[in-house]
Amino acid sequence: MPAAPAHRPLTIGELSERSGVSPSALHFYERNGLIEAERTAGNQRRYRRDTLRRVAFIKTSQRVGLPLKDIREALDSLPEGRTPTKRDWSKLSLRWGEELDQRIAALQHLRNDLDGCIGCGCLSLKSCTLQNPSDELGASGAGAQRWNQATEQH
Amino acid sequence: MPAAPAHRPLTIGELSERSGVSPSALHFYERNGLIEAERTAGNQRRYRRDTLRRVAFIKTSQRVGLPLKDIREALDSLPEGRTPTKRDWSKLSLRWGEELDQRIAALQHLRNDLDGCIGCGCLSLKSCTLQNPSDELGASGAGAQRWNQATEQH
DNA sequence: GATTGACCTCAACATTAGTTGAGGTTCTAG
DNA sequence: CTAGAACCTCAACTAATGTTGAGGTCAATC
């Protein structure tokens, strides 16, 4: 390893290793406007160091369930050109915390309803709120929501 | 509409309308072993009425984020042949409530961590738990989790 | 200055959860 | 009995989120 001054830009391999995101995924993020890189004379990518934080934000947002499209929108609110400040990041995190709160509330609501349904063993289409979203979850009617895929094979 | 005795099996159109799931999705569920149907002499599907509840279970499970594969596994625990009783359904719902609880706990944990991160504006790769899952969410490392896709365009 | 690992692009494939359309059949109401 | 709505199958397509491989180039080390 070279001396590596702390401000030297990162190669894709370094960014990949430090972020835990595969190079192919980084390419993919770039194609989709989530991150960007300078190029060397020989056309290789060189990432500014704050890209690491950017990738961290992407990963974390994904873990919580946001699609890349939404993450991109959020990132678009960061200042162009200059390295984002803590305040910039804080604003994103704050907005994001609100969504988390809503998500939690929705799940708790669902949980309560499930208690009711266990009582009656129903999941009836008419009476069960679980079956009649209407409000918090899936308001868009659109995409499936996922959670942990690992349903323990044993 | 014919008199329709309450026990008459459902056509795919009826099941679709009552469940809010498109016929093509019902075909898809059948291909994937989530539901099944008798056939008329003319090869049209006729669904037992409890299929309605089955579909309700599928929809609800999806709303909460489970992939169809897992839902199928859960449904496989229902008795073959006979119409499931309330107890049968209750067992599924119960198991399901536990997963919901875990999911809520995980999100709350995440929420707490986020508070910390807002304080420092970080999302730092080293210090932030949000960046170091390790435990509850995404233990499988695998699939993305999604939530509400509607990030309010405004 | 050559080797070798890291990097480049582009195209094709994988998976989940369906939708759409073509081409043909069945069922039901009048 | 016939018109038209509802149904059938099969294949191809969509969208999101990447991965894999082929074929070729760069750059850091011996």
Side-chain angles (χ1 to χ4, degrees):
Chain A
M1 272 184 227
H7 55 280
R8 181 178 53 81
L10 299 167
T11 66
I12 195 169
E14 288 163 344
L15 181 57
S16 171
E17 179 148 353
R18 296 198 183 200
S19 65
V21 170
S22 71
S24 71
L26 293 172
H27 285 174
F28 179 78
Y29 294 159
E30 184 176 322
R31 276 203 302 288
N32 288 274
L34 288 143
I35 61 177
E36 53 181 21
E38 311 279 298
R39 297 297 180 117
T40 64
N43 198 36
Q44 297 195 353
R45 289 170 179 84
R46 287 302 179 268
Y47 296 96
R48 275 193 344 212
R49 298 209 141 231
D50 61 281
T51 308
L52 205 45
R53 184 167 289 177
R54 218 173 154 95
V55 174
F57 183 81
I58 296 169
K59 268 186 72 186
T60 309
S61 301
Q62 281 195 298
R63 277 191 58 231
V64 131
L66 292 168
L68 289 185
K69 188 173 65 72
D70 291 0
I71 301 172
R72 173 157 38 91
E73 274 171 35
L75 286 172
D76 284 348
S77 77
L78 287 176
E80 296 272 337
R82 75 169 166 79
T83 296
T85 64
K86 286 189 181 184
R87 280 186 79 83
D88 293 325
W89 285 112
S90 291
K91 238 185 302 180
L92 283 194
S93 297
L94 192 63
R95 186 168 128 187
W96 207 65
E98 285 161 14
E99 295 209 55
L100 253 187
D101 282 344
Q102 280 177 28
R103 179 65 174 172
I104 290 171
L107 279 183
Q108 271 165 345
H109 190 155
L110 215 54
R111 211 320 173 197
N112 283 345
D113 291 345
L114 185 57
D115 280 342
C117 286
I118 288 176
C120 67
C122 71
L123 287 170
S124 143
L125 285 178
K126 307 281 170 163
S127 64
C128 185
T129 338
L130 283 173
Q131 273 313 307
N132 300 296
S134 70
D135 26 63
E136 38 269 276
L137 270 178
S140 70
Q145 294 89 16
R146 295 197 194 163
W147 77 22
N148 196 341
Q149 283 197 335
T151 298
E152 235 69 35
Q153 315 267 48
H154 54 113
Chain B
M1 268 183 231
H7 55 280
R8 181 179 52 82
L10 298 167
T11 67
I12 195 169
E14 288 162 344
L15 181 57
S16 171
E17 179 147 357
R18 295 197 185 201
S19 65
V21 170
S22 69
S24 72
L26 293 173
H27 285 175
F28 180 79
Y29 293 160
E30 185 176 321
R31 275 203 303 286
N32 287 275
L34 288 142
I35 60 176
E36 52 180 22
E38 311 278 298
R39 298 295 179 121
T40 63
N43 198 35
Q44 297 196 352
R45 290 172 178 82
R46 288 300 180 268
Y47 295 96
R48 274 193 344 211
R49 299 209 139 231
D50 62 281
T51 307
L52 205 44
R53 185 168 289 179
R54 220 174 153 93
V55 173
F57 183 81
I58 296 169
K59 268 187 70 184
T60 309
S61 301
Q62 281 194 298
R63 278 190 58 231
V64 133
L66 293 168
L68 288 185
K69 187 173 65 73
D70 291 0
I71 301 172
R72 173 156 39 90
E73 273 171 36
L75 285 172
D76 283 348
S77 77
L78 287 176
E80 296 272 335
R82 75 169 166 79
T83 296
T85 64
K86 284 189 182 185
R87 279 184 81 82
D88 293 325
W89 285 113
S90 291
K91 238 186 300 181
L92 284 194
S93 296
L94 192 62
R95 184 169 130 186
W96 205 65
E98 284 161 15
E99 295 210 54
L100 251 188
D101 283 343
Q102 279 177 27
R103 179 62 172 173
I104 289 170
L107 278 182
Q108 271 165 344
H109 189 154
L110 215 53
R111 210 323 175 194
N112 283 344
D113 292 344
L114 185 58
D115 281 341
C117 286
I118 288 176
C120 67
C122 72
L123 287 170
S124 143
L125 286 177
K126 308 280 167 160
S127 63
C128 186
T129 338
L130 283 173
Q131 273 313 307
N132 300 297
S134 70
D135 26 63
E136 39 270 275
L137 268 178
S140 69
Q145 296 87 15
R146 295 198 192 162
W147 76 23
N148 196 338
Q149 283 198 334
T151 299
E152 234 69 38
Q153 316 268 47
H154 54 111

